Amino acid sequence: MLLMKSDDFRGILRLATNLKNMTKLNANVKTSLPSCRVDTLSKEAAQELVPGICVPFDTAFYMPEALNIQSQNYLQALFWSCENLVTESSTFDSGKKLLQLHRRPVNRLSEFDGEYDAVIICLGAKVNMLPEFSGRLPLRTCRGVIAHLELPDDISEGYPERGPSILSDAWIAVKSPRELHVGSTWEWKSSNSSPSVSPDEASSALTELLPKASVIYPRIMNWDFTGARAGLRAMPPLTSLGSLPLLGCINDIMEGNQTCKYWLFGGLGARGLLYHGWLGNLMAHAVLSSDEGLIPLELTSWKNTIQFSDFNKQTEFH
């Protein structure tokens, strides 16, 4: 979960805490795209960005153009952008286009039949709430908790005014010089989608997160816990190609005859911000063309390898 973005803070600092990660990060720097700037910093240079930071292998990787994003604000801005695009398109094209947001409860997907030509289901971890998919999709649920920390009033020196956020075994997202968010935990097989965090769950999250964060930024132990929030991820299955999102037309796995064409867009896990733009474009072209073949086979092959009727009996995720 990536959280906050502020114009007062710049970039993300990536640090390795073991030799395996260090080797991977060095390799990534050599193969990264020119448009994705990654600077290799010495221990001294990293400590100029964040005084007091520990650099286990005397090397850090700085991404000055990287951002932490408040996902709820981002999604709202993305919808506004789509609205503006439709308005501009209607002005220049002969046909009028309309984009509307409807909020209504839906009990079954079949309720859309006869009303829409196509429906894209993108409910994240809540997709199993639809009876057509309950227990049938190869998704692994995982609950994550984020801790909110503030610096006590009696400590004057806060986080550096323009210091980067930190990405390591735990991540530290900077909201202000006196406010940090630390995450995230991973509770596999959880079905709890509530953003609220109980005192016991918060205490457990702090016990897990603070030691990881303090390895890189020891001063975080001086900060006070002020609250926590949680979310539920829908992780795709592990394959020989990695953890790939689930896309494709799903009419063939639904019961009955449908006049509407149904599509699934899910399993983005913790990498939704990385995948969503590219995959959304692929999905839009496939839906408009009514051609699933426009989606890479790697993202639709999950339908061929899962026995949906016996999925719960045959598969156990770890």
Side-chain angles (χ1 to χ4, degrees):
M1 298 178 182
L2 295 179
L3 273 186
M4 307 302 297
K5 184 226 181 246
S6 170
D7 292 335
D8 294 329
F9 296 90
R10 294 292 182 268
I12 295 176
L13 195 62
R14 180 74 166 95
L15 298 106
T17 56
N18 58 65
L19 186 58
K20 181 180 179 179
N21 283 342
M22 186 67 186
T23 302
K24 286 184 177 181
L25 290 171
N26 269 317
N28 288 343
V29 170
K30 296 176 183 177
T31 58
S32 63
L33 297 173
S35 58
C36 300
R37 178 183 164 189
V38 183
D39 298 335
T40 303
L41 303 184
S42 66
K43 174 181 177 180
E44 292 73 21
Q47 290 175 338
E48 286 185 12
L49 288 174
V50 184
I53 195 173
C54 290
V55 186
F57 292 91
D58 296 335
T59 302
F61 303 92
Y62 180 45
M63 298 166 280
E65 298 172 352
L67 299 173
N68 290 316
I69 293 175
Q70 214 294 341
S71 56
Q72 200 66 32
N73 292 347
Y74 171 77
L75 291 173
Q76 181 66 70
L78 186 62
F79 183 78
W80 288 338
S81 179
C82 291
E83 283 186 315
N84 292 336
L85 187 63
V86 168
T87 300
E88 294 172 2
S89 177
S90 297
T91 300
F92 294 104
D93 296 343
S94 56
K96 184 177 181 180
K97 299 180 176 65
L98 183 65
L99 174 67
Q100 289 184 317
L101 176 64
H102 297 277
R103 297 180 183 271
R104 78 181 199 197
V106 175
N107 296 314
R108 301 187 67 88
L109 288 176
S110 57
E111 295 177 22
F112 292 116
D113 265 14
E115 187 174 359
Y116 296 98
D117 296 321
V119 172
I120 303 172
I121 299 98
C122 44
L123 290 174
K126 292 188 176 182
V127 68
N128 279 325
M129 294 177 64
L130 290 170
E132 289 91 343
F133 299 125
S134 180
R136 302 177 70 193
L137 296 177
L139 293 173
R140 303 171 294 157
T141 56
C142 180
R143 180 172 169 85
V145 176
I146 297 166
H148 300 179
L149 305 178
E150 289 186 5
L151 197 62
D153 293 338
D154 59 354
I155 299 179
S156 59
E157 185 179 1
Y159 200 83
E161 183 68 29
R162 296 181 63 83
S165 294
I166 297 172
L167 183 59
S168 190
D169 291 347
W171 51 256
I172 301 174
V174 183
K175 185 176 181 182
S176 77
R178 306 187 73 84
E179 293 181 85
L180 300 177
H181 289 180
V182 182
S184 167
T185 62
W186 294 74
E187 181 190 349
W188 291 101
K189 297 185 179 180
S190 173
S191 59
N192 183 4
S193 61
S194 171
S196 300
V197 177
S198 70
D200 286 345
E201 187 179 23
S203 176
S204 177
L206 281 176
T207 300
E208 178 181 344
L209 294 172
L210 285 184
K212 294 179 180 179
S214 63
V215 168
I216 299 299
Y217 188 57
R219 296 180 183 179
I220 203 167
M221 301 303 293
N222 297 325
W223 293 61
D224 290 336
F225 171 73
T226 60
R229 297 282 285 178
L232 193 65
R233 311 175 183 95
M235 307 295 291
L238 294 173
T239 72
S240 60
L241 298 174
S243 298
L244 301 180
L246 311 182
L247 273 71
C249 182
I250 54 175
N251 282 52
D252 55 346
I253 65 172
M254 294 177 59
E255 298 177 356
N257 298 319
Q258 296 85 33
T259 59
C260 174
K261 205 156 190 176
Y262 295 95
W263 301 76
L264 179 68
F265 187 104
L268 274 67
R271 296 184 175 89
L273 288 171
L274 176 65
Y275 284 128
H276 76 289
W278 172 56
L279 294 183
N281 187 49
L282 288 176
M283 177 65 85
H285 281 89
V287 171
L288 291 174
S289 304
S290 196
D291 183 3
E292 186 182 67
L294 296 177
I295 301 173
L297 183 61
E298 294 86 348
L299 303 180
T300 61
S301 59
W302 60 273
K303 297 193 298 178
N304 303 323
T305 58
I306 299 298
Q307 298 296 321
F308 288 93
S309 59
D310 298 323
F311 179 77
N312 284 329
K313 300 178 184 178
Q314 296 179 4
T315 306
E316 181 178 358
F317 291 118
H318 300 282

